[in-house]
Amino acid sequence: MKLTAIDYYERAGTRSREGDNKGALANINRAIRSDPRMAIAYFARGDIKRSGGDAKGAIADFTMGIKLDPKFAPAYVG
């Protein structure tokens, strides 16, 4: 069974809730590779990076999420 971008996104959320940021990041990267236009995935990756101390990387991902979907309000908050 081939996993979709949504599947990887959901796995990333599970890993993140379990405190596994490395696993969450790996899965969200797969989601983005699978669907590079998935704005919410960039927001999620930015959130993971921010929680890991990578503010610069987080801002870059939030910015990409905004470029892909300017109406996606959480990316502005991030």
Side-chain angles (χ1 to χ4, degrees):
M1 166 169 93
K2 183 177 166 132
L3 298 177
T4 67
I6 296 293
D7 295 327
Y8 287 121
Y9 173 81
E10 289 174 355
R11 284 181 169 200
T14 299
R15 298 291 182 268
S16 183
R17 284 187 297 280
E18 293 171 347
D20 178 11
N21 278 353
K22 187 176 178 180
L25 191 58
N27 277 286
I28 206 67
N29 284 336
R30 288 183 188 113
I32 290 170
R33 278 195 303 273
S34 194
D35 182 0
R37 301 210 37 88
M38 187 178 183
I40 195 168
Y42 286 95
F43 170 73
R45 187 168 72 177
D47 205 33
I48 293 166
K49 287 180 178 180
R50 179 180 54 193
S51 71
D54 181 7
K56 213 174 205 182
I59 290 168
D61 282 332
F62 293 143
T63 301
M64 179 58 84
I66 291 167
K67 284 182 183 178
L68 293 172
D69 185 359
K71 294 181 181 180
F72 188 64
Y76 290 96
V77 175

